[in-house]
Amino acid sequence: MAGVSLKCGDCGALLKSVEEAQEHAELTSHSNFAESTEAVLNLICTACGKPCRSKTESDLHTKRTGHTEFVDKTSESAKPISLEVPKAAVESDEQVDASTSSQSEEMIVPEVDKKLLEELELMGFSTARATRALHYSGNASVEAAVNWVVEHENDPDIDQMPLVPANTKVEAPKPTLTPEEVKLKAQELRERARKKKEEEEKKKEREREKERIRIGKELLEAKRIEEENERKRLLALRKAEKEEEQRAREKIRQKLEEDKAERRRRLGLPPEDPAAATPSAPVVQEKKSSLPVRPATKAEQMRECLRSLKQNHKEDDAKLKRAFQTLLTYIGNVAKNPNEEKFRKIRVTNPSFQERVGALKGGIEFLELCGFEKIEGGEFLFLARDKVDVAVLNSAGSELDSAIKNPFFGVL
């Protein structure tokens, strides 16, 4: 297949003709070119008609204008490349070679507008990039230089200082704007950069706020899960206590039955008939029901104390619930901080304590069941550090939680 372009072996750029290759060589000092069957792209923007020679140019055009639709007309413009240099070009090259051979030209940095160069440097551009942009944009304005940088930011020599022959006369660009307009334009660019920076800061602050909200939600969820697990643990502990109590009662009953059978055997009496013994059970139970039965475990005693407290003050439900909440706070503080004496010592004469707990019959008794003892003539309730029983405190907390949340607590 015939070659349709020239490819620079140094930077990979595709060129349509020998003339473009020569211009590329003069600008970049690249000299390694080869014929290629890859055609130079011809992408036409459907919105404004601008031709783009590569995908990079079309991407930059899209970024700058927002136009996204292009028509590929590469096949229409692709033609076999002619490697013959036009006669006029050959003559010109010969003249250049002759003049070069007679006198080597000195290359210097082109002169650019100092004020515009200073403006670009203040905007963050390097001196080489700002000088190149001003030189190739004709020293027209800061905006024109910035647009040139945007269009050529992917050039391999973008950060190299441009060089021109020393004898080249660079005509001073005709100012297209008055000094006042230049000042206003520079101020506008600075204001635009400031607003862009403020928008970025606001965006970062919104992201940080979202992150804080997310972390807060995660902490709340972790706390909820921890409380739920603690509640399940207390329920499992209460269930285990009830099962252990039931097993202990069963063992005592079996032991009593065995002792009774042993006594009958020693006395030479026949074994007791279970069928005959059953009718007497209700009678015995009925006789015992007339006497108060003291709860066997600490948890039952606490439950009975809270049930009595609720029965004695059932006319004021809000006051009763506040008392339960206060007791739960006292118990929770000691369970979480057993080494803190301030949580293990309560002034009985404190007006707040009296209003919430002390004035209610059964409030102080409940704290005493938890291990608190009256000291200093009954002025304080104190729980010694060596008498802190976490299991008892957990049982107390579980009973108080049930009294607060269960509407039928103390009714049945």
Side-chain angles (χ1 to χ4, degrees):
M1 183 175 179
V4 292
S5 65
L6 289 175
K7 186 174 184 178
C8 178
D10 296 322
C11 64
L14 294 176
L15 307 162
K16 289 184 177 181
S17 61
V18 175
E19 290 83 354
E20 286 189 3
Q22 290 175 345
E23 292 178 1
H24 183 76
E26 292 175 0
L27 291 174
T28 62
S29 300
H30 298 167
S31 59
N32 183 16
F33 296 93
E35 190 175 359
S36 174
T37 58
E38 183 180 357
V40 179
L41 295 180
N42 186 22
L43 304 175
I44 308 299
C45 178
T46 57
C48 61
K50 176 179 174 58
C52 298
R53 294 167 57 96
S54 65
K55 188 66 171 60
T56 302
E57 286 190 19
S58 64
D59 291 341
L60 289 173
H61 182 70
T62 300
K63 181 178 179 182
R64 188 172 61 257
T65 63
H67 302 163
T68 58
E69 296 184 2
F70 296 86
V71 178
D72 190 353
K73 295 186 177 181
T74 304
S75 59
E76 299 178 5
S77 59
K79 297 179 180 179
I81 191 169
S82 175
L83 300 179
E84 295 182 0
V85 181
K87 185 176 180 181
V90 172
E91 293 176 355
S92 175
D93 290 341
E94 291 176 353
Q95 293 175 359
V96 170
D97 293 339
S99 61
T100 303
S101 60
S102 61
Q103 179 182 1
S104 61
E105 294 180 343
E106 182 184 0
M107 303 298 287
I108 62 173
V109 177
E111 294 185 2
V112 295
D113 191 302
K114 302 297 183 182
K115 292 182 178 180
L116 298 181
L117 178 63
E118 184 178 354
E119 289 286 341
L120 290 173
E121 289 178 344
L122 289 175
M123 292 173 67
F125 296 104
S126 63
T127 303
R129 183 174 293 202
T131 303
R132 181 174 288 273
L134 288 172
H135 173 66
Y136 288 111
S137 63
N139 286 301
S141 64
V142 173
E143 187 174 11
V146 171
N147 290 335
W148 188 91
V149 171
V150 172
E151 293 178 356
H152 297 80
E153 61 182 353
N154 291 326
D155 291 355
D157 57 348
I158 185 67
D159 287 315
Q160 297 178 7
M161 189 68 74
L163 297 175
V164 297
N167 58 358
T168 301
K169 293 182 179 180
V170 180
E171 296 183 359
K174 296 181 180 180
T176 57
L177 299 174
T178 63
E180 290 79 8
E181 290 175 339
V182 171
K183 186 181 295 184
L184 290 175
K185 194 69 176 178
Q187 184 177 357
E188 179 183 350
L189 290 172
R190 286 194 296 269
E191 183 67 19
R192 193 182 305 169
R194 184 184 64 80
K195 288 182 178 179
K196 183 177 180 181
K197 185 176 181 180
E198 289 180 354
E199 290 177 358
E200 291 178 354
E201 288 294 331
K202 289 180 179 179
K203 184 177 179 181
K204 290 180 180 179
E205 182 61 29
R206 287 195 296 268
E207 293 296 330
R208 287 194 290 267
E209 183 64 23
K210 289 181 180 179
E211 184 66 15
R212 284 195 292 268
I213 293 174
R214 184 186 66 80
I215 293 175
K217 289 182 177 180
E218 289 181 355
L219 290 176
L220 289 176
E221 181 65 16
K223 184 178 180 182
R224 185 192 67 78
I225 293 173
E226 182 180 358
E227 291 176 351
E228 181 68 16
N229 292 337
E230 180 66 16
R231 187 182 67 81
K232 291 180 179 179
R233 190 186 67 82
L234 291 175
L235 290 176
L237 180 61
R238 184 190 303 177
K239 183 178 179 181
E241 287 179 351
K242 289 182 178 180
E243 292 176 352
E244 181 64 25
E245 181 183 348
Q246 186 175 359
R247 285 193 295 268
R249 289 180 178 178
E250 183 63 23
K251 287 182 180 180
I252 293 173
R253 189 189 65 78
Q254 291 178 1
K255 181 64 174 174
L256 291 174
E257 292 292 337
E258 291 175 358
D259 292 345
K260 185 177 180 180
E262 181 64 21
R263 285 195 300 272
R264 291 181 67 86
R265 186 182 63 78
R266 288 179 180 178
L267 294 173
L269 298 176
E272 185 178 6
D273 187 5
T278 50
S280 62
V283 178
V284 175
Q285 185 67 24
E286 187 176 350
K287 289 180 180 180
K288 290 185 178 180
S289 63
S290 61
L291 298 176
V293 179
R294 184 175 183 83
T297 64
K298 184 75 74 173
E300 288 182 346
Q301 295 177 20
M302 292 178 181
R303 193 178 310 121
E304 184 63 28
C305 181
L306 293 177
R307 187 181 293 113
S308 175
L309 197 151
K310 186 169 184 179
Q311 289 294 332
N312 293 332
H313 305 280
K314 59 184 178 181
E315 70 282 353
D316 194 346
D317 187 64
K319 186 175 183 180
L320 188 65
K321 184 171 290 188
R322 184 175 59 178
F324 289 162
Q325 291 283 1
T326 304
L327 290 172
L328 185 61
T329 301
Y330 283 136
I331 300 304
N333 287 338
V334 176
K336 294 177 182 177
N337 306 279
N339 294 322
E340 293 289 341
E341 184 178 344
K342 63 180 181 179
F343 294 130
R344 295 184 283 107
K345 191 173 183 180
I346 304 171
R347 184 185 292 274
V348 178
T349 57
N350 184 286
S352 177
F353 175 80
Q354 282 293 326
E355 179 185 358
R356 292 172 176 267
V357 177
L360 277 67
K361 183 179 179 181
I364 295 179
E365 289 79 357
F366 183 83
L367 290 173
E368 289 176 341
L369 288 173
C370 294
F372 284 86
E373 298 177 352
K374 291 182 179 180
I375 61 173
E376 299 183 15
E379 184 178 356
F380 291 94
L381 284 172
F382 181 71
L383 177 58
R385 177 63 185 89
D386 57 350
K387 293 185 179 181
V388 175
D389 192 337
V390 178
V392 172
L393 295 177
N394 287 337
S395 297
S398 178
E399 296 298 335
L400 284 168
D401 186 68
S402 177
I404 294 171
K405 296 180 180 179
N406 185 3
F408 301 104
F409 184 86
V411 177
L412 301 176

